[in-house]
Amino acid sequence: MREKNLLSGQKEKELSLNQKGIRFAKQAVKSAAGLLYPPRCPLCDRIIPLGKGRVCGECQRKLPWIVQPYCLRCGKTLDSLEKEYCRDCLSHPHEFTQGIAAFRYEKAMRVSIRRMKFSNRREYLDFYAEAMVFRAGKWLPLWKPERIIPVPMHWMKKNRRGYNQSELLAKKIGELTGIPVLYHAVRKLRSTKDQKELSGQERRSNLKDAFEVSGGLSGIKSVLVIDDVYTTGSTMDEISRTLKCAGVRNVFFLVAAHR
Ligand SMILES: [Zn+2]
Ligand SMILES: [Zn+2]
């Protein structure tokens, strides 16, 4: 079983019945597609024989899952069980309520996520979405998000790239969890500079008022925002601020990797 391989050594019972139903219904379609586009390991990009899981055996053993202790606000790995929050969260109050990441953003993850974003390796999305849902297993029943919202991309950037990886992740996570996805509830109003080239303060001003709620959130109190990577939290904070202005009380997030 693919997921058994992906999640080996972890509790499979945390997967919901909903996930299992969807998985089996899609199996036949996937098998046919697999002959044309053989699945590749999202970490080393080697072709994996059909039915042998989403990750090759070698990379499976090295997956940098985030395990306890991690920050109870942003999900970053902590170096001591005594701590509850990371230094960043203690010094900067965040707008979001809580969030978690599936993996640490180590070298293999960086390369993999870059391939997913810039080299059209969209087939990696299944792996990331399943890993994210697995990581969120114990949190989703506590958070009870009513809607899923992908971090939006400015339309010009999306046109250039051809897709928004956060939207595609949100779609799959919606299918796996049964939580409805709102694709257009938040819009990115303007093109912003690449966040990774900026300092913390510059990141915040770069994103100021960059998002707008465009509807679909009436009466919604709790949402789950999906993105690929959490860096300093500036994007998550600005989206959360925008959503809270529109009446959402709790903004949670789920990302593939945490820097
Ligand atoms: Zn591999
Ligand atoms: Zn933190």
Side-chain angles (χ1 to χ4, degrees), residues 79-143:
D79 53 16
S80 155
L81 271 170
E82 324 271 276
K83 296 178 186 161
E84 286 194 320
Y85 301 103
C86 71
R87 215 164 27 170
D88 170 56
C89 289
L90 286 173
S91 55
H92 295 107
H94 286 296
E95 297 281 345
F96 51 79
T97 308
Q98 193 184 7
I100 51 163
F103 301 110
R104 296 185 304 278
Y105 197 58
E106 293 180 352
K107 191 174 172 228
M109 275 295 141
R110 265 202 314 272
V111 174
S112 165
I113 289 177
R114 239 180 259 153
R115 264 192 241 119
M116 176 171 80
K117 283 163 82 160
F118 305 114
S119 306
N120 208 15
R121 280 277 185 264
R122 290 189 236 184
E123 61 267 41
Y124 293 2
L125 289 160
D126 287 327
F127 161 74
Y128 282 108
E130 284 167 13
M132 288 159 79
V133 168
F134 174 72
R135 266 293 282 135
K138 81 166 188 188
W139 292 106
L140 290 181
L142 297 170
W143 294 346

Side-chain angles (χ1 to χ4, degrees), residues 10-72:
Q10 318 245 10
K11 283 174 277 172
E12 203 197 5
K13 67 178 179 192
E14 289 183 31
L15 293 168
S16 71
L17 286 172
N18 185 20
Q19 281 171 256
K20 289 181 182 169
I22 290 165
R23 187 195 310 157
F24 290 123
K26 288 188 167 174
Q27 207 59 48
V29 179
K30 277 185 186 165
S31 304
L35 297 171
L36 291 171
Y37 305 101
R40 287 173 181 273
C41 172
L43 276 93
C44 66
D45 205 43
R46 280 193 290 245
I47 289 174
I48 303 176
L50 271 180
K52 291 286 180 192
R54 295 215 188 279
V55 186
C56 79
E58 208 175 303
C59 295
Q60 174 78 41
R61 287 187 289 277
K62 297 186 293 195
L63 284 175
W65 288 102
I66 290 185
V67 290
Q68 282 188 333
Y70 52 86
C71 174
L72 290 176

